[in-house]
Amino acid sequence: MVADPIISVRDLRKSYGTFEVLRGLSFDVARGERIAILGPSGSGKSTLIRCFNRIEPHDSGTLHIDGTVVDARCDLARLRAEVGIVFQNYNLFPHLSAVENCMLAPRLVRGMTRHAARDGAMRRLAQVGIAEQAAKYPIQLSGGQQQRVAIARALCMDPRVVLFDEPTAALDPEAVAGVAAIIDALARDGITTLCVTHEMGFARRIADRIVFMDDGQIMEIAPPETFFTSAVTERARAFLARMV
Amino acid sequence: MSIRSLFPPGRLRTVFLPAVLLFGLMTGTHARADPSSGLVHDGVLDVCTNPTLPPMTFVPGADASDLAGVDIDVARAVAQAWGARMVLHSMDFVGLFPSLESGRCAIVISGVTRQPARERLFDAVSYLPTALVVVARAGTRPIGSLADLSGQMVVTQSGTSYAARLERENAALAAQGRAPIRIQQYPAEEQVVQQVLLGRAFAFVSQDVELGFRARQLHGKVAVILQPQDDNYRSFALYIRKNPTDRAALQAAIDHLDQTGALRAIADKWHIRAATALTQDLSTPPRFDVRAFALALLSVGFARAALVTLAIALLSHATAIALSMPMALALNRPGGVVRRAVGLYVALFRAVPTLLQLLFVWNALPQFFPVFRGDWFSPFLAAWIALSLNEAAYQVEINRAALGAIDPGQLVAGEALGLTRFEVYRHVLFPQALRVALPPTINEFINLLKTTSLASVISLQELMALTQIHVARTFEFTEYYAVALVYYVAMVCVLLLTQKRVERRFHWADRVKAGAHGG
């Protein structure tokens, strides 16, 4: 499907008890590609991306990320340094300031000195445009600012892939545009991004390809211009009709 | 005042039955070879006493470990006769016979009268004659019999048999259709006397020798109004575990001291005389002795006792927190045997009174496990163990609630960054849980600091134990109560200041305060 893919998924399955959330998914993602994952609530979008850094272990099927097999025996610390994630409600550490949030993993996982970790964290905070908020605690920051800190925190581990779980759910339009600009910048640096979202305009703006999921399966994969104008499947068309 | 005529057999059993029920058996006492020294082990005669009953057994000076009195002299003379060294174990009155039972000491001598009921459980040897007295405020008209106390409030020391004696009188009064004697019991002898001095009670029941000795302290404020003839209160006795050989050896030693005039000399030394010789009058109103208060407040003894109180509370709470951490984590995880075991532990230790836990660890453990009979098992260690186990049961609940209050997303976020489970707990979850757990934990510590006073029953010389010893010695209630109060208040104040300082580190949780600090 894609030459030299950074992510390769084959027949991925996962169940919670008797309920099958992921029902045999297969697709590839190219290096530096920007993917938006669309689909109705409960279609398994968040579960899918959480399998990529194994905070949700999959049950069967194979998953390769940058040549490494993701399974029960893989080096989790290495995998999670490679694959960063930004959560829907950010999950910043409330007892640490913005810069300390970004320093924690580099110090503990990479063994960096406090000084080096702080330099790296400040660079990333500047990259997402909130260096001046570095000393503030999460409770003092707006939703958009917290989102940026969460992105900076993920970038501090120098990931090759960044997963976004509903990054725009709680943001005003201006902040949404900011997140889109950040994702563009990441792509220019060769970082692959996968973004679960509900927002059609945002998906169209940031995605090289749209992955449309329903009922634990991939229904359609297409570039945004194709997907939004002439979706092939009945379900995708029904979904788009509901959303517009 | 009173000789505490030991508790009736029933009282003793209330302490020990739970032990028997729980474990199902009691181990036997050790076998003895040499009949002349059956009570002596390794050249040591272990003696248990509650030094709050002058002139029989008390603390004459500021040093709480320096005991004196008739009983101490008699025990020393017996030890000398056997070529042994006397080692005194000072403890609360209710701890005396359990300690004898558990083999911690060979002899109890603590102004205890000889009574047939008590001799069913222990062997007794008399060493000094005495008489029961009923004492009221000076100027009260003498009465003809115990029945004349009908309708009056009479106080006794708890743990003694006086209350049982009065109840017998009440049964007779009831048969005649008369009002019963109203009985109040207090844990310490000096509190008994105080009720009469305050006018709260009409009279108290006690033993003649102590009252004679107290005459000077009491400034003639009380007088004997009745000396009933009662065979149960005719003599003081030494008590040992049941053993005919030991009993004969002890009787021989006491007989020898009697024949040589040594007993007489001891009695004279402590001015043992009839209580009726007390003179009345000269009723000086009680004044707060500022000098005695200041001296006690600044004394090394009280500082040391306060240190013991603080140390046992700190050590116990630290141990409790260490124990409670893994238990709280286990409770927050689903299912399993461990979780049920922790639940059982928490239920058990919250259900059983702390006092019982202390007595159990101190007196019952040595019965089941001889290793705990050694000198290394000190009252401090026993209190540490008991209070730690007790406190951990409460701390588990605090920790569980604090960990449960944290957003589960925090654990996921930490792990998604590549942190190990341990690193997530150490750097992400615990710092946040601490903020939730700190106020109730400080509350628990303040409670624990005060609960340590219970450890006086296992002879730990903490603040309240020392206070009671000094009150018994001097009868200066308010002065010594005030000293203890100052120490407790000071310790808690320092604690509250510390809490304020620590809570300042939690400004991250408060938008306004975070602004003031974070900038």
Side-chain angles (χ1 to χ4, degrees):
Chain A
M1 304 184 354
V2 174
D4 183 29
I6 186 162
I7 297 174
S8 179
V9 183
R10 289 294 175 273
D11 196 28
L12 196 72
R13 289 176 187 274
K14 171 157 186 78
S15 303
Y16 292 123
T18 54
F19 176 66
E20 199 170 22
V21 198
L22 301 178
R23 301 167 56 191
L25 284 73
S26 302
F27 70 105
D28 291 337
V29 179
R31 280 175 202 281
E33 197 176 12
R34 298 171 303 166
I35 301 287
I37 304 174
L38 289 178
S41 296
S43 57
K45 309 184 295 289
S46 291
T47 306
L48 172 64
I49 63 166
R50 283 168 179 239
C51 286
F52 291 170
N53 63 352
R54 213 173 160 75
I55 28 182
E56 294 283 2
H58 57 270
D59 296 337
S60 65
T62 57
L63 176 56
H64 286 81
I65 293 192
D66 209 5
T68 309
V69 182
V70 177
D71 61 12
R73 290 175 309 249
C74 72
D75 179 351
L76 280 181
R78 229 188 105 223
L79 170 69
R80 288 168 181 174
E82 189 105 328
V83 183
I85 185 165
V86 178
F87 293 96
Q88 179 174 0
N89 42 11
Y90 325 131
N91 288 350
L92 292 179
F93 305 133
H95 62 299
L96 299 177
S97 67
V99 68
E100 287 165 343
N101 260 278
C102 298
M103 291 161 60
L104 189 65
R107 289 183 58 208
L108 294 176
V109 182
R110 292 237 196 275
M112 287 169 78
T113 64
R114 177 173 277 276
H115 190 77
R118 183 174 293 275
D119 284 351
M122 288 310 294
R123 210 165 43 245
R124 293 303 192 175
L125 287 171
Q127 184 182 343
V128 297
I130 52 162
E132 70 279 9
Q133 312 288 354
K136 288 196 177 168
Y137 286 91
I139 199 172
Q140 297 171 275
L141 301 172
S142 72
Q145 290 170 328
Q146 291 190 38
Q147 172 78 285
R148 284 159 187 256
V149 174
I151 295 171
R153 182 173 72 176
L155 294 179
C156 279
M157 295 300 283
D158 298 319
R160 313 291 299 274
V161 178
V162 179
L163 313 169
F164 291 87
D165 192 357
E166 304 272 9
T168 59
L171 299 184
D172 58 59
E174 197 181 342
V176 171
V179 174
I182 291 172
I183 291 176
D184 288 344
L186 293 180
R188 282 196 298 276
D189 290 344
I191 295 175
T192 310
T193 57
L194 287 93
C195 184
V196 170
T197 184
H198 271 110
E199 212 153 325
M200 299 303 129
F202 181 72
R204 188 197 291 264
R205 159 80 176 76
I206 56 121
D208 298 321
R209 279 196 299 162
I210 303 280
V211 171
F212 175 71
M213 280 179 73
D214 192 10
D215 202 16
Q217 290 171 302
I218 292 177
M219 308 305 296
E220 200 162 333
I221 301 180
E225 54 274 21
T226 317
F227 181 76
F228 287 108
T229 54
S230 50
V232 180
T233 58
E234 188 59 43
R235 287 205 211 178
R237 282 202 296 274
F239 174 75
L240 288 169
R242 274 203 309 278
M243 297 308 284
V244 178
Chain B
M1 337 251 145
S2 73
I3 258 351
R4 344 5 210 292
S5 346
L6 210 2
F7 18 90
R11 172 169 287 270
L12 195 66
R13 270 196 229 111
T14 54
V15 176
F16 271 86
L17 258 186
V20 179
L21 288 176
L22 272 176
F23 291 86
L25 80 161
M26 291 164 100
T27 57
T29 46
H30 14 227
R32 299 188 187 85
D34 182 0
S36 69
S37 63
L39 299 165
V40 175
H41 294 277
D42 301 328
V44 169
L45 179 66
D46 287 297
V47 177
C48 281
T49 191
N50 170 226
T52 59
L53 190 77
M56 305 306 289
T57 166
F58 66 112
V59 176
D63 180 1
S65 65
D66 179 23
L67 310 187
V70 176
D71 291 349
I72 310 302
D73 288 348
V74 169
R76 186 179 292 117
V78 169
Q80 271 167 5
W82 288 338
R85 189 166 57 86
M86 172 183 71
V87 172
L88 289 170
H89 302 269
S90 152
M91 63 188 63
D92 195 87
F93 192 72
V94 295
L96 289 176
F97 281 78
S99 290
L100 181 60
E101 180 80 46
S102 68
R104 181 161 287 115
C105 46
I107 289 182
V108 163
I109 183 165
S110 196
V112 184
T113 54
R114 180 168 194 172
Q115 294 195 349
R118 201 163 296 138
E119 285 185 73
R120 286 208 296 272
L121 290 162
F122 300 98
D123 277 340
V125 173
S126 301
Y127 60 93
L128 191 74
T130 180
L132 191 68
V133 287
V134 177
V135 184
R137 295 221 282 180
T140 308
R141 192 172 306 156
I143 55 175
S145 70
L146 284 176
D148 292 343
L149 293 169
S150 165
Q152 300 283 10
M153 173 74 79
V154 176
V155 281
T156 70
Q157 186 182 1
S158 46
T160 67
S161 61
Y162 298 138
R165 176 70 190 83
L166 292 175
E167 291 291 0
R168 276 210 306 282
E169 200 62 39
N170 276 348
L173 286 171
Q176 300 166 27
R178 297 175 67 187
I181 304 166
R182 289 178 298 141
I183 305 163
Q184 274 189 347
Q185 300 189 63
Y186 288 84
E189 178 62 19
E190 64 275 9
Q191 292 161 2
V192 170
V193 180
Q194 199 183 24
Q195 304 315 310
V196 170
L197 293 178
L198 290 172
R200 185 175 288 144
F202 173 72
F204 64 86
V205 181
S206 186
Q207 215 69 27
D208 58 352
V209 291
E210 193 205 356
L211 195 65
F213 183 83
R214 292 265 201 218
R216 201 155 35 102
Q217 292 173 334
L218 291 171
H219 304 296
K221 282 181 275 190
V222 293
V224 173
I225 56 169
L226 177 67
Q227 191 163 331
Q229 292 305 308
D230 193 320
D231 286 346
N232 276 336
Y233 300 92
R234 278 179 185 261
S235 68
F236 293 116
L238 293 139
Y239 283 88
I240 57 174
R241 284 181 298 274
K242 275 219 175 281
N243 182 313
T245 324
D246 289 349
R247 199 197 162 286
L250 186 59
Q251 186 67 60
I254 293 295
D255 287 348
H256 178 72
L257 292 175
D258 192 25
Q259 281 150 23
T260 58
L263 280 182
R264 179 77 252 152
I266 291 171
D268 287 347
K269 174 185 169 190
W270 296 104
H271 310 293
I272 300 294
R273 51 184 165 145
T276 39
L278 262 181
T279 50
Q280 277 89 11
D281 228 40
L282 277 165
S283 185
T284 48
R287 284 196 0 253
F288 189 85
D289 186 346
V290 176
R291 190 165 173 277
F293 166 75
L295 282 178
L297 187 65
L298 302 173
S299 68
V300 176
F302 267 97
R304 191 186 296 136
L307 199 65
V308 168
T309 295
L310 194 62
I312 195 78
L314 278 173
L315 280 172
S316 301
H317 206 175
T319 311
I321 289 171
L323 289 175
S324 65
M325 284 289 190
M327 289 197 282
L329 293 176
L331 280 184
N332 269 359
R333 240 169 257 150
V337 181
V338 180
R339 189 190 156 115
R340 236 171 300 154
V342 170
L344 188 70
Y345 164 83
V346 170
L348 182 69
F349 277 79
R350 286 166 82 183
V352 178
T354 314
L355 182 62
L356 181 55
Q357 290 175 30
L358 282 162
L359 289 171
F360 203 91
V361 168
W362 181 238
N363 293 319
L365 274 191
Q367 283 200 332
F368 300 122
F369 308 104
V371 64
F372 287 108
R373 289 180 198 160
D375 279 344
W376 63 271
F377 193 54
S378 63
F380 189 91
L381 204 56
W384 183 2
I385 292 173
L387 294 176
S388 297
L389 290 176
N390 178 56
E391 189 56 41
Y394 292 90
Q395 195 68 42
V396 164
E397 290 296 309
I398 294 175
N399 293 358
R400 189 176 63 84
L403 284 171
I406 299 170
D407 175 10
Q410 292 288 306
L411 175 62
V412 178
E415 291 195 326
L417 284 168
L419 273 57
T420 62
R421 182 62 66 101
F422 175 80
E423 285 170 336
V424 175
Y425 272 98
R426 161 78 182 76
H427 295 279
V428 178
L429 302 186
F430 284 154
Q432 295 180 54
L434 183 62
R435 184 184 138 259
V436 183
L438 190 72
T441 300
I442 298 269
N443 251 356
E444 277 301 314
F445 183 77
I446 289 173
N447 262 331
L448 182 59
L449 188 72
K450 294 178 290 192
T451 304
T452 55
S453 61
L454 292 178
S456 62
V457 299
I458 62 166
S459 80
L460 185 70
Q461 295 298 309
E462 46 68 57
L463 205 44
M464 277 315 292
L466 189 71
T467 303
Q468 281 176 6
I469 285 171
H470 280 291
V471 167
R473 173 174 69 83
T474 61
F475 257 70
E476 288 166 337
F477 302 95
T478 32
E479 289 79 354
Y480 288 100
Y481 288 168
V483 171
L485 185 138
V486 166
Y487 268 108
Y488 279 117
V489 169
M491 285 191 282
V492 171
C493 279
V494 170
L495 204 63
L496 293 179
L497 284 177
T498 314
Q499 181 181 8
K500 279 259 177 295
R501 288 188 69 91
V502 176
E503 282 185 350
R504 250 184 256 154
R505 297 181 53 178
F506 298 133
H507 54 79
W508 50 263
D510 186 311
R511 188 185 287 268
V512 179
K513 285 184 193 156
H517 288 262

